[in-house]
Amino acid sequence: MKYVARRQMLKGLGLAGLTLALPGGVLAATSQELASEGLARLQEGKTAQALTALKEAAKLDPANAWVFNLLGRTYHLSGQPRLAVENFRLALRIDPADGYSRMMLDVLAQHPLPPAPAEKPIKSKRLSPLEEQARDELSAFAKTGKAASKRLLLIDPGHGGADKGVTGTTGLAEKDLTLEVASLLASELNAASGFRAMLTRQADYAVPLWARKAQADLFGAELMISLHCGASLPGYAGVEIYSHSGTASDPEANAVAELENGVLRFERVQPPVLTEPASQRGLLGAWRARSGERRGKELADALVIQLSPPAPLAPGHARQAPLGVLDGPRCPCMLIELGFLSNAQEEKALKGKDFQAALASSLAQGLTRILG
């Protein structure tokens, strides 16, 4: 018989855990092949078929963190948060570096888990130490789920790693300043009732633009705020607030977009190619994008009015530009230029720790006012 690729022969058969008989013997689906088939079905929105393949993969290889990661995603999409948490926990126990499972556990922690269904004890089955630890963690997790009333704001400290961003004449790097102010802003917002803030990065390392945007959807953020510092012609000063638009509102906004989008040259990791469900495409997807842009502009316009930054910074303008970091998330987004490092007076002020704290406090107050 003609040679047929192994993966193609197992497509479909692997979903039922079957084997394929060949003249040379029996060819069985491996855990990795079943996991790949499960991922394919998951991307097509066929969660029942994905679960069939992934459960079989877990039986074949109970130490494969990727399989349990995919099981967690599938259970989450099929509306079974308790089982999703259980599998994400198992994935993390096998591979503590599984960042996706850690992120999804944080997402699911924003809502208390539903009560576990009553089950008859199976005396003949003895849990492994790993299963016992996961069961105990799941029980504690269900009791301490974070309140759903907390409104999540995602704060993105611009640049990082090899990408320093703008550097002032005294050596102040944009990537360091944005991280400092973002950390202070997160503390201010977390201290305010009803809000919870998270950062897209917490140290000096590179995060691709697509990963920053993806976190907004993964965490279910209400608003994403990307912090930056400008560099422009002499005379420009103050805080500038941008929302996303396919067309820049003015030449200065277009120049800012070209500068900020230039970080793409530092990115070595490309975004995963995912098949979106039909509900995310077409008219509904376009409507969501327009709605997010409209809301982002409304919030940017409102923040300019409410913001009272410390001197010598002054409220600037609300502008629109085709900024890559703001293009894509379902939630409204804004980019805030925390002054201009090309302005000697502003750079000197921005280096001060007390000034950074005052700036973060003014931003937190402005954001809490416009969000109500």
Side-chain angles (χ1 to χ4, degrees):
M1 69 185 284
K2 292 184 178 180
Y3 173 79
V4 182
R6 179 186 180 93
R7 190 168 182 273
Q8 290 299 319
M9 289 190 293
L10 292 168
K11 189 173 184 179
L13 292 176
L15 296 177
L18 301 178
T19 58
L20 185 63
L22 294 177
V26 176
L27 180 64
T30 68
S31 173
Q32 204 70 6
E33 288 166 337
L34 286 167
S36 296
E37 290 298 336
L39 176 59
R41 301 291 82 75
L42 176 61
Q43 291 174 339
E44 293 170 359
K46 299 175 180 178
T47 55
Q49 293 183 25
L51 283 174
T52 300
L54 294 170
K55 286 179 181 178
E56 187 66 23
K59 290 179 184 177
L60 293 173
D61 186 2
N64 190 327
W66 185 50
V67 171
F68 289 105
N69 178 304
L70 292 174
L71 275 168
R73 300 189 206 186
T74 308
Y75 280 121
H76 175 57
L77 289 177
S78 60
Q80 302 180 70
R82 177 174 286 274
L83 290 173
V85 167
E86 181 178 346
N87 282 278
F88 283 133
R89 284 281 186 189
L90 282 168
L92 270 181
R93 281 212 160 270
I94 298 168
D95 179 12
D98 185 350
Y100 186 93
S101 290
R102 196 174 299 279
M103 284 194 298
M104 288 306 299
L105 283 170
D106 203 282
V107 172
L108 292 164
Q110 296 177 50
H111 304 275
L113 292 176
E119 294 182 357
K120 294 181 180 180
I122 303 175
K123 296 182 180 180
S124 61
K125 182 181 179 183
R126 181 180 180 85
L127 296 177
S128 68
L130 176 65
E131 290 173 321
E132 288 179 351
Q133 291 171 357
R135 179 198 59 191
D136 294 341
E137 287 185 0
L138 179 61
S139 177
F141 185 92
K143 295 176 182 177
T144 59
K146 300 178 182 66
S149 59
K150 287 283 186 180
R151 302 166 67 185
L152 178 63
L153 305 182
L154 184 66
I155 304 171
D156 172 43
H159 308 279
D163 173 23
K164 293 184 178 181
V166 176
T167 301
T169 57
T170 65
L172 179 60
E174 182 180 2
K175 67 172 184 176
D176 297 326
L177 177 61
T178 58
L179 183 58
E180 288 290 338
V181 176
S183 300
L184 294 167
L185 176 57
S187 297
E188 290 275 349
L189 291 169
N190 285 329
S193 60
F195 290 97
R196 178 166 172 261
M198 296 181 61
L199 302 182
T200 59
R201 67 178 178 96
Q202 301 184 35
D204 182 18
Y205 53 82
V207 181
L209 288 189
W210 64 263
R212 296 171 191 258
K213 297 184 289 185
Q215 290 182 56
D217 290 336
L218 284 172
F219 290 121
E222 178 176 337
L223 174 66
M224 176 179 170
I225 307 117
S226 189
L227 301 182
H228 293 259
C229 290
S232 188
L233 298 173
Y236 280 95
V239 177
E240 300 285 332
I241 303 177
Y242 290 82
S243 56
H244 183 266
S245 174
T247 305
S249 56
D250 55 75
E252 174 66 18
N254 190 61
V256 169
E258 290 180 353
L259 177 66
E260 299 296 354
N261 293 341
V263 302
L264 292 170
R265 69 183 183 276
F266 293 100
E267 298 187 359
R268 298 292 179 265
V269 180
Q270 297 303 309
V273 179
L274 300 175
T275 302
E276 290 186 308
S279 60
Q280 305 302 325
R281 302 192 297 267
L283 292 176
L284 180 57
W287 175 82
R288 280 179 172 164
R290 289 195 301 271
S291 178
E293 285 190 3
R294 183 167 57 250
R295 178 61 175 159
K297 183 179 185 304
E298 291 173 355
L299 291 173
D301 291 342
L303 185 57
V304 165
I305 297 172
Q306 293 292 336
L307 193 61
S308 299
L313 293 181
H317 305 87
R319 290 188 160 109
Q320 293 178 283
L323 290 153
V325 72
L326 306 184
D327 182 17
R330 297 176 188 173
C331 68
C333 306
M334 65 173 69
L335 184 147
I336 303 177
E337 297 278 3
L338 305 170
F340 290 84
L341 290 181
S342 57
N343 182 298
Q345 186 181 20
E346 291 190 353
E347 183 196 9
K348 180 180 178 180
L350 287 165
K351 292 185 71 172
K353 298 298 182 184
D354 291 342
F355 185 87
Q356 293 171 7
L359 177 57
S361 180
S362 68
L363 286 170
Q365 292 174 19
L367 288 167
T368 53
R369 288 194 197 106
I370 66 172
L371 293 171

